[in-house]
């Protein structure tokens, strides 16, 4: 009976370091690892993931699939039930090593009906729904932030550089004592103007257009239940630090977590 380990990250900027830690601590004997390519979309149904399909082809009756946490495999309520049906059909067990379902046999069936146990079904559907809520909230907050920025006249993306045909005019205007702020009102950034006239400036120091923007503090209040859920997910180090440093604000029976972080100035 083989121990099959499955790993997946959402983007090529993430790593499997946290998954490796959880799985290593589990003490899995002779693991056979299957790791999805970082370029594989997280929206893809897990049964269509190249490495998970390879895992299912390799698996034999009595084998166990080991995953650090449920959301490394599935993202939606429908997906998890599809996966559990296939694993049950092939008589392959699954073990989640971190999170709320880490102590449950997710392939457990009723001894007489053969259907997935109602308690297992409820737990996995609830957690998958919580994951969908988290992503929906992130999309809504991002959209609201962009709308607020647009209302103030700010638009996303990098402002264009000074084009070659306008460079001479910009340099002439600067020599005529036009300010950089005034020259930047015509659709380009102040950094772009400084780059175009760098050798004309008193210190002769060019300022790079790609220089890091200053950072401003941003505060977000999130419901306590959402904060509790996020603590069980695979966050980036900066996200985890912001969550850990959050301030608890009591709200009746529950609480709100006030999280502060820094964001580049537009």
């Amino acid at each position: 009976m083989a121990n099959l380990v499955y790993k997946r990250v959402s983007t090529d900027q993430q790593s499997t370091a946290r998954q490796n830690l959880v799985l290593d601590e589990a003490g899995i004997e002779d693991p056979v690892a299957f790791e999805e390519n970082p370029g594989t979309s997280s929206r893809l149904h897990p049964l269509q993931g190249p490495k998970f399909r390879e895992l299912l082809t390799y698996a034999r009756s009595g084998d166990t699939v080991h995953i650090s946490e449920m959301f490394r495999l599935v993202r939606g309520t429908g997906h998890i039930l599809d996966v559990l049906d296939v694993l049950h059909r092939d008589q392959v067990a699954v073990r989640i090593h971190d999170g709320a379902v880490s102590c449950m046999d997710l392939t457990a069936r009723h001894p007489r009906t053969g259907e997935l146990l109602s308690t297992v079904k409820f737990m996995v559907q609830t957690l998958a729904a919580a994951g969908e809520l988290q992503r929906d909230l992130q999309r809504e907050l991002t959209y609201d932030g962009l709308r607020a920025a647009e209302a103030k006249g700010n638009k996303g993306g990098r402002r264009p550089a000074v084009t070659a045909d306008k460079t001479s005019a910009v340099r002439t205007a600067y020599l005529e004592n036009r300010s950089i702020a005034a020259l930047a009102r015509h659709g380009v950034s102040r950094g772009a103007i400084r780059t175009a006239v760098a050798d004309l400036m008193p210190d002769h120091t060019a300022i790079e257009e790609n220089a890091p923007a200053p950072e401003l503090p941003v505060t977000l209040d999130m419901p306590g239940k959402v904060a509790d859920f996020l603590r069980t997910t695979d966050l980036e180090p900066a996200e985890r630090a912001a969550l850990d440093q959050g301030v608890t604000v009591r709200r009746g029976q529950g609480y709100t977590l006030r999280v502060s972080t820094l964001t580049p100035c537009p």
Side-chain angles (χ1 to χ4, degrees):
M1 296 182 182
N3 289 309
L4 314 180
V5 171
Y6 179 75
K7 307 176 198 176
R8 185 187 65 80
V9 292
S10 300
T11 69
D12 55 8
Q13 279 77 44
Q14 295 177 326
S15 75
T16 58
R18 183 175 182 276
Q19 297 175 63
N20 293 338
L21 177 62
V22 172
L23 295 168
D24 289 345
E25 290 178 344
I28 302 169
E29 295 184 3
D30 301 323
V32 181
F34 296 84
E35 183 176 336
E36 293 288 2
N37 187 307
T40 303
S41 172
S42 61
R43 297 182 179 181
L44 191 68
H45 194 294
L47 295 178
Q48 297 175 339
K51 284 298 179 180
F52 192 68
R53 287 189 301 179
E54 184 179 326
L55 180 151
L56 293 175
T57 301
Y58 182 93
R60 296 293 181 267
S61 176
D63 289 350
T64 300
V65 178
H66 297 268
I67 308 170
S68 62
E69 57 187 336
M70 187 173 69
F71 295 111
R72 292 302 97 204
L73 176 60
V74 296
R75 287 292 187 181
T77 54
H79 291 180
I80 181 61
L81 297 180
D82 291 342
V83 171
L84 294 181
D85 282 339
V86 170
L87 294 176
H88 174 70
R89 180 200 66 194
D90 296 342
Q91 296 182 328
V92 175
V94 59
R95 176 71 190 277
I96 310 295
H97 290 275
D98 195 18
V101 295
S102 59
C103 297
M104 298 180 64
D105 179 3
L106 299 184
T107 53
R109 301 278 166 158
H110 192 280
R112 288 180 292 278
T113 66
E115 296 180 353
L116 190 68
L117 285 178
S118 57
T119 52
V120 173
K121 186 175 182 180
F122 172 77
M123 285 294 295
V124 297
Q125 285 182 319
T126 300
L127 290 173
E132 291 179 334
L133 172 63
Q134 174 200 358
R135 294 191 301 279
D136 289 343
L137 286 173
Q138 288 175 335
R139 283 194 292 267
E140 290 172 4
L141 291 171
T142 300
Y143 176 75
D144 290 343
L146 291 173
R147 289 289 303 276
E150 289 177 358
K152 294 180 179 179
N154 299 322
K155 294 184 179 181
R158 182 181 299 169
R159 300 180 71 181
V162 179
T163 58
D165 59 325
K166 293 182 178 180
T167 299
S168 178
V170 167
R171 291 169 63 84
T172 299
Y174 179 78
L175 290 173
E176 293 175 351
N177 294 323
R178 291 284 302 279
S179 70
I180 289 177
L183 294 172
R185 291 174 188 158
H186 302 289
V188 295
S189 67
R190 297 186 185 190
I193 297 296
R194 291 190 182 97
T195 299
V197 301
D199 60 315
L200 304 177
M201 298 177 71
D203 56 2
H204 299 285
T205 301
I207 299 180
E208 297 183 4
E209 174 69 8
N210 296 331
E215 295 183 326
L216 295 176
V218 172
T219 300
L220 170 68
D221 287 350
M222 68 174 65
K225 290 185 178 180
V226 174
D228 291 340
F229 171 76
L230 290 177
R231 289 190 176 97
T232 69
T233 63
D234 189 9
L235 299 176
E236 295 293 335
E239 297 171 335
R240 176 71 63 184
L243 196 64
D244 292 342
Q245 295 170 8
V247 177
T248 299
V249 180
R250 290 296 170 186
R251 302 284 192 219
Q253 298 292 330
Y255 75 96
T256 296
L257 187 69
R258 181 161 297 163
V259 179
S260 297
T261 185
L262 295 174
T263 184
C265 178

